[in-house]
């Protein structure tokens, strides 16, 4: 009888298998823990749930946030790797905190996003960011929350807080633009045209449709990059 030979897996494959195994189970446990909060509150306070009202609201929220979640996972994976995506999705605040920390860590370590070393640095950076963020929030809540509230609500500082996200996204985008200027031309021009058109702010960049806008820009950017590669415009 012919015996089938088992092909030994490489270290990279073993690493990916462990990351996916831990990521799947920790994600499932996190989802169950999140769902337990409303369930326990409903049972303890004996709240009557009207499904005829809850289901339409849930469908509306899912239709708005589900595409964004799918697009974000696909867009973050090439940058911070599978481990970084699993950990970031569980701890949250990806765009404002986890992604900039991971990119900063990879830049300091001198590794490229998407590489094996980059994935490891990304996991460490996201983990440290999660621990530091949790510690700061806990300390602020217990000790200095009442002292920080007047400072954070100061009208002079409000313009700065209102522009935190654009500042972070600019800091994240600039290195990629400098590294690949030809690839960056099309998505930048496309987003500017969509933003400046009459319905740009109310449709393309509204909170209800921005996930679909992001998906469309991603697909068109990939198509443009493929066309430029075929035309020999990319080295």
């Amino acid at each position: 009888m012919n015996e089938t030979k088992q092909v030994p897996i490489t270290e990279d494959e073993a690493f990916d298998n462990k990351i996916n195994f831990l990521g799947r189970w920790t994600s499932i446990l996190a989802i169950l823990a999140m769902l337990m909060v409303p369930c326990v509150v409903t049972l303890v306070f004996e709240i009557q749930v009207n499904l005829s009202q809850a289901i339409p609201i849930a469908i509306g929220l899912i239709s708005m946030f589900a595409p964004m979640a799918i697009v974000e996972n696909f867009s973050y994976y090439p940058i911070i790797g599978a481990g970084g995506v699993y950990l970031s999705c569980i701890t949250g605040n990806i765009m404002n905190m986890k992604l900039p920390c991971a990119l900063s860590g990879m830049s300091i370590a001198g590794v490229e996003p998407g590489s094996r070393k980059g994935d490891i640095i990304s996991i460490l950076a996201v983990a440290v960011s999660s621990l530091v963020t949790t510690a700061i929030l806990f300390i602020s809540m217990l000790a200095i929350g009442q002292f920080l509230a007047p400072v954070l609500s100061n009208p002079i500082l409000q313009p700065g807080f209102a522009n935190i996200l654009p500042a972070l996204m600019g800091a994240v985008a600039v290195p990629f633009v400098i590294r690949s200027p030809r690839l960056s031309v099309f998505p930048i021009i496309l987003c500017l045209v969509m933003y400046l058109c009459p319905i740009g702010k109310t449709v393309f960049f509204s909170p209800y449709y921005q996930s679909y806008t992001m998906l469309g820009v991603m697909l068109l950017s990939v198509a443009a990059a493929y066309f430029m590669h075929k035309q020999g415009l990319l080295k």
Side-chain angles (χ1 to χ4, degrees):
M1 297 178 62
N2 295 329
E3 295 183 357
T4 57
K5 296 182 178 180
Q6 294 183 351
V7 179
I9 61 175
T10 62
E11 293 183 359
D12 289 345
E13 292 175 340
F15 176 81
D16 291 335
N17 291 338
K18 290 181 180 179
I19 289 295
N20 288 320
F21 175 80
L22 292 174
R24 292 191 188 104
W25 280 104
T26 51
S27 298
I28 292 172
L29 292 175
I31 292 173
L32 292 176
M34 294 175 189
L35 292 176
M36 286 299 295
V37 174
C39 292
V40 171
V41 170
T42 302
L43 293 175
V44 170
F45 294 96
E46 298 181 354
I47 300 174
Q48 298 294 327
V49 178
N50 190 340
L51 294 179
S52 61
Q53 295 178 352
I55 292 177
I57 296 174
I59 293 175
L61 292 173
I62 291 173
S63 63
M64 183 173 63
F65 289 106
M68 183 182 298
I70 296 172
V71 171
E72 286 182 347
N73 286 328
F74 277 107
S75 59
Y76 295 149
Y77 173 76
I79 303 174
I80 60 178
V85 170
Y86 280 125
L87 192 55
S88 298
C89 290
I90 292 174
T91 55
N93 203 10
I94 306 175
M95 189 175 296
N96 297 340
M97 188 67 66
K98 304 305 186 301
L99 182 62
C101 288
L103 291 174
S104 178
M106 286 185 280
S107 176
I108 294 172
V111 297
E112 291 292 328
S115 63
R116 179 60 63 198
K117 293 181 179 179
D119 292 348
I120 296 174
I121 294 296
S122 174
I123 294 173
L124 295 175
V126 172
V128 172
S129 173
S130 303
L131 294 174
V132 172
T133 303
T134 304
I136 291 175
L137 291 175
F138 185 75
I139 295 173
S140 301
M141 179 184 65
L142 292 180
I144 58 179
Q146 58 182 349
F147 301 105
L148 284 179
V151 176
L152 297 178
S153 59
N154 192 307
I156 299 177
L157 300 178
Q158 288 307 308
F161 290 115
N163 290 281
I164 289 178
L165 184 57
L168 287 173
M169 290 300 98
V172 171
V174 166
F176 290 93
V177 174
I178 295 175
R179 189 180 301 121
S180 305
R182 294 186 179 181
L183 282 175
S184 306
V185 171
F186 177 80
I188 291 176
I189 294 177
L190 177 61
C191 291
L192 285 175
V193 171
M194 295 173 65
Y195 182 78
L196 296 175
C197 71
I199 61 172
K201 296 181 181 179
T202 57
V203 176
F204 294 128
F205 292 93
S206 70
Y208 301 100
Y209 304 107
Q210 63 182 359
S211 57
Y212 299 99
T213 301
M214 186 184 299
L215 178 60
V217 171
M218 288 174 58
L219 294 176
L220 292 174
S221 299
V222 171
Y226 179 78
F227 175 77
M228 294 171 67
H229 174 73
K230 285 296 184 179
Q231 296 297 320
L233 300 176
L234 299 178
K235 295 182 180 181

